[in-house]
Amino acid sequence: MEFIKQQPSSKAPADWFTGDVWWDVIVAGQAPSRMRANLVRFSPGARTNWHSHVLGQTLHVVSGIALIGTRDGTVFEAHPGETVACPPNEEHWHGAAPDRFMEHIALWEGTEDGSPETAWAEPVTDQQYNGPRTRKQ
């Protein structure tokens, strides 16, 4: 057993996000582990670009209100304590509601062969971000 050395908080890359986003790497597993986990903090209105994960992604909302969008125009609203699973290769985005900060834990897996685990695409437009919200129970 070992304690994992904490890395400093990092500002998320501007070519993958709109607005101010910071993350703390919780774990970036070393083989044979493929586990990845980050605590991600979004300022109001901040969001990811469109992207997908080869093996899917799970988001656990810690605080604030998370918005998660899909290519069909659906924008899901998730609250603290809720967990959302994004299937493998499904393009989606996630971020904070326009009026409050949001934190989530992002969980995904790396690939066995070292190929990219995330495919990043274009920024989410204001129209897509501001689409009608829905709550899924």
Side-chain angles (χ1 to χ4, degrees):
M1 185 179 310
E2 74 177 276
F3 281 79
I4 298 171
K5 184 177 181 205
Q6 289 185 315
Q7 300 175 24
S9 297
S10 303
K11 186 159 177 49
D15 23 331
W16 295 348
F17 294 84
T18 297
D20 285 329
V21 178
W22 290 79
W23 65 46
D24 290 296
V25 174
I26 297 170
V27 65
Q30 302 299 311
S33 174
R34 298 182 305 174
M35 180 189 305
R36 309 283 189 263
N38 286 355
L39 174 63
V40 188
R41 297 173 181 91
F42 293 80
S43 64
R47 56 202 180 255
T48 68
N49 282 8
W50 286 103
H51 65 285
S52 62
H53 299 270
V54 173
L55 298 171
Q57 182 181 45
T58 301
L59 305 169
H60 178 78
V61 182
V62 176
S63 67
I65 296 175
L67 303 179
I68 302 105
T70 61
R71 283 288 187 184
D72 68 3
T74 302
V75 178
F76 292 103
E77 185 177 296
H79 292 243
E82 294 183 324
T83 302
V84 179
C86 303
N89 297 311
E90 179 180 65
E91 285 195 311
H92 65 281
W93 61 267
H94 35 102
D99 59 347
R100 62 182 63 199
F101 287 87
M102 185 273 290
E103 291 181 304
H104 68 45
I105 297 173
L107 305 140
W108 72 103
E109 292 180 81
T111 57
E112 285 186 41
D113 63 4
S115 61
E117 54 211 43
T118 305
W120 290 97
E122 78 276 7
V124 173
T125 66
D126 288 343
Q127 182 178 8
Q128 291 166 327
Y129 172 78
N130 290 310
R133 296 187 203 172
T134 187
R135 290 272 294 146
K136 189 152 187 168
Q137 298 295 330

